[in-house]
Amino acid sequence: MALAWGAHFGWNAGLAILFDAPVSGYPFQVPVVEYTAGSHAWVDGGAFGPEGGLVATIALFAGTAYLLTRQHAFAEAQA
């Protein structure tokens, strides 16, 4: 559970701090970077942020498919 929380925190921090992108619809003000959503909200998430668009959905499906097709991804570790 800690790994999932850490990964989610890292994702949100990266979006907010590094890219000034909205996180779950909440905008952040980072003085150095200016995030501007594209004209097609269904692609890049629009005002909700990148995690609400098609690009993020495809990336998540690709990552899931990669993990599920690894040969020993869910095998128990042997001592």
Side-chain angles (χ1 to χ4, degrees), residues 33-78:
V33 181
E34 184 66 34
Y35 173 80
T36 305
S39 59
H40 302 291
W42 62 275
V43 174
D44 63 8
F48 187 79
E51 59 192 5
L54 182 65
V55 174
T57 302
I58 291 170
L60 289 171
F61 276 123
T64 302
Y66 171 74
L67 289 175
L68 291 175
T69 57
R70 290 184 54 207
Q71 188 171 14
H72 297 290
F74 299 104
E76 291 188 30
Q78 295 180 0

Side-chain angles (χ1 to χ4, degrees), residues 11-55:
W11 169 259
N12 286 344
L15 285 177
I17 296 169
L18 298 176
F19 300 107
D20 190 34
V23 176
S24 300
Y26 295 105
F28 291 87
Q29 302 301 321
V30 178
V32 179
V33 181
E34 184 66 34
Y35 173 80
T36 305
S39 59
H40 302 291
W42 62 275
V43 174
D44 63 8
F48 187 79
E51 59 192 5
L54 182 65
V55 174

